[in-house]
Amino acid sequence: MSESDEQATPRLERDGQQWFFDWMIQETGKVMHFQGDGRGGLPKAVRRHAMISKHVGRSARRMELLADEALAEGHTRTALGRYFEAAFTYGNAQHVVFETNDEKRHLHGRSLRCYDAARELAPYRIERVEIPWEGHTLAGYLHLCPGEEPRGCVFFVPGCDMTKEQYPHPLANHALERGLHLFAFDGPGQGESNLEGLRLTADNYEQAASEAIDHLLTRPEIVPEKLCVYGISFGSLWAARIAAQDKRVCALAAPWASFGDLRHLLDEESPRFKQLFLYLTGAGSEAELDRIMADMGARGAVAAIECPTLVACGEYDPRSPIEEVYECFDQMTCPAELWVFEDQHHRVSLTKPNGHIVPWLMDIHELSLDWLCDRLDGKPLAGEHRVALVPTGNGGPSSIASARRRWFD
């Protein structure tokens, strides 16, 4: 698609809600997940969605300047943290620009520049990986545990509003802390793939991921029998589809599960999602977009998963109604476990339910990585098809003795 084609963005029915969407942004500081407590992280100067890239980009620029200053003074640990935060924040700034223009290229380029600076300062090796695929280049980062011993590897699938630069933090790498390598991936429609023109289709994310797995399993550092997939938020859906297609995946963790009918996300949640997926897919009309997304759901696909699988979701996630999550879970024939966090919405957490969470320090990462490590170590599940309804303000999923699906059971 040429830039002139991209500028002629098709109209969406939900575009008529922009005035109310802008008001919600001004009042809440959020562009999505409005159910959580407190104000979101957008600068108070932001009054409309169109202002986000400029003001968040300025915040990222300040972090970058502070990182450059710390590095010049020889404070490398401080510089590393600030470069990562700048890369993360530039990533958020570029994300809201739904066309491939000079502003998006600038912001994304600054994110890459800051992440490269963070990689240079990291306490372990973060290798940039480029994989040719169907006339494009799939880019990722392989976070390598120190030492010569081959280890298992976590294939991390970011959410639809993330890039590979945004997890893990080099100073809080949950996989390396548990003795595992981690590969973070820009799939079709994400990050560098998007800027290169590799658009998202109904099924090319899992195809591209299998190509990346082909490459990873040639690496002597990685034990082929210990490759697992970890996808968060919309990445949980792509991760499930990867595991359904690629039987080399030995375990799957899918928290903040996007397992509901995608019409909830596109037509009932924040208008941002439909605007975003129009850009990610390059669809020429709303009807074409709806057709693409209708073929991308979890229902049906999850039945083909064979590896042990963890699904985690909020009891009242508007994008994944709990009855639809149960329906998908019941289709699974693999050893599986479902955690339902009582009274929570999308961003489930044990320590800060529905509140502000530092993205790279979320406890769901620790919970999911612990669960994956147990599977790689051969530890059996607590039950072959166990549902744990996790009460708010109580213990965690492992303390739930009996399965129940609803609060009144």
Side-chain angles (χ1 to χ4, degrees):
M1 181 180 287
S2 69
E3 283 199 42
S4 59
D5 291 333
E6 285 189 314
Q7 290 167 1
T9 304
R11 290 283 300 167
L12 300 171
E13 288 291 333
R14 302 205 68 188
D15 290 346
Q17 299 172 342
Q18 191 66 41
W19 67 273
F20 185 75
F21 184 34
D22 286 340
W23 182 82
M24 288 290 288
I25 289 169
Q26 172 182 299
E27 294 301 302
T28 69
K30 303 174 183 178
V31 295
M32 62 185 87
H33 310 316
F34 301 114
Q35 302 82 17
D37 294 334
R39 182 177 173 83
L42 291 177
K44 289 189 176 181
V46 171
R47 305 288 175 163
R48 298 185 56 212
H49 190 274
M51 300 174 70
I52 295 173
S53 59
K54 174 182 179 179
H55 289 273
V56 174
R58 281 180 169 173
S59 295
R61 177 59 179 154
R62 181 171 186 270
M63 293 177 198
E64 182 182 11
L65 290 171
L66 291 171
D68 289 343
E69 181 180 291
L71 184 62
E73 294 174 353
H75 304 302
T76 56
R77 198 80 164 181
T78 300
L80 165 56
R82 287 177 178 164
Y83 278 130
F84 178 82
E85 290 188 39
F88 188 100
T89 307
Y90 274 127
N92 287 341
Q94 66 84 35
H95 171 71
V96 300
V97 182
F98 298 146
E99 59 179 310
T100 307
N101 58 17
D102 290 342
E103 182 183 23
K104 190 173 189 76
R105 291 192 188 94
H106 167 75
L107 293 168
H108 190 272
R110 300 308 297 184
S111 180
L112 292 180
R113 184 260 174 187
C114 291
Y115 193 80
D116 282 342
R119 284 199 301 135
E120 290 295 318
L121 298 171
Y124 60 87
R125 184 155 62 99
I126 304 175
E127 181 180 323
R128 180 177 169 86
V129 176
E130 296 183 350
I131 305 163
W133 184 69
E134 296 192 352
H136 296 278
T137 300
L138 302 170
Y141 296 117
L142 183 57
H143 298 249
L144 290 160
C145 285
E148 301 297 323
E149 178 188 356
R151 299 172 183 266
C153 183
V154 177
F155 190 113
F156 176 65
V157 183
C160 63
D161 53 358
M162 295 177 67
T163 67
K164 65 187 182 304
E165 290 75 31
Q166 294 185 307
Y167 181 81
H169 195 303
L171 298 178
N173 187 321
H174 301 96
L176 263 69
E177 290 168 355
R178 290 158 177 79
L180 298 171
H181 306 305
L182 183 143
F183 178 72
F185 179 58
D186 270 348
Q190 286 175 316
E192 288 188 71
S193 292
N194 205 356
L195 267 69
E196 193 180 292
L198 176 53
R199 295 305 189 198
L200 177 67
T201 71
D203 61 0
N204 69 345
Y205 199 103
E206 54 264 39
Q207 295 168 12
S210 281
E211 187 73 18
I213 290 172
D214 286 345
H215 171 82
L216 291 174
L217 296 187
T218 66
R219 301 285 303 237
E221 301 95 337
I222 295 173
V223 178
E225 297 78 21
K226 291 192 173 185
L227 183 130
C228 54
V229 174
Y230 173 39
I232 193 164
S233 193
F234 201 88
S236 69
L237 171 57
W238 285 321
R241 293 178 65 94
I242 293 167
Q245 172 183 286
D246 199 315
K247 305 310 177 185
R248 296 171 294 181
V249 176
C250 69
L252 164 68
W256 298 7
S258 293
F259 280 17
D261 189 310
L262 292 181
R263 65 185 171 82
H264 300 297
L265 178 72
L266 298 179
D267 295 328
E268 299 170 14
E269 252 279 17
S270 168
R272 162 135 160 198
F273 288 110
K274 199 152 201 180
Q275 295 166 349
L276 168 65
F277 278 99
L278 183 70
Y279 173 56
L280 301 186
T281 61
S285 67
E286 185 163 11
E288 182 185 353
L289 173 62
D290 289 340
R291 287 193 295 271
I292 293 170
M293 301 302 289
D295 292 332
M296 200 187 295
R299 186 181 292 125
V302 296
I305 299 173
E306 297 178 1
C307 64
T309 297
L310 168 66
V311 180
C313 66
E315 185 182 17
Y316 295 107
D317 186 346
R319 62 200 280 178
S320 293
I322 193 62
E323 294 301 333
E324 295 184 21
V325 176
Y326 286 145
E327 180 184 343
C328 283
F329 185 69
D330 289 341
Q331 291 179 355
M332 294 181 179
T333 58
C334 60
E337 192 167 340
L338 171 61
W339 300 343
V340 179
F341 289 73
E342 188 177 26
D343 286 338
Q344 294 196 41
H345 308 292
H346 185 62
R347 293 175 170 172
V348 298
S349 169
L350 284 178
T351 56
K352 293 188 178 179
N354 302 326
H356 179 69
I357 306 169
V358 178
W360 52 85
L361 295 179
M362 298 179 302
D363 59 24
I364 198 66
H365 294 312
E366 296 175 313
L367 295 169
S368 300
L369 268 294
D370 285 344
W371 190 94
L372 287 171
C373 284
D374 285 345
R375 304 294 77 78
L376 295 184
D377 291 341
K379 184 177 179 180
L381 292 175
E384 281 296 291
H385 222 66
R386 172 176 176 265
V387 178
L389 184 61
V390 184
T392 299
N394 211 319
S398 61
S399 68
I400 308 302
S402 60
R404 67 188 178 111
R405 294 190 169 206
R406 301 167 182 84
W407 66 269
F408 53 83
D409 286 343

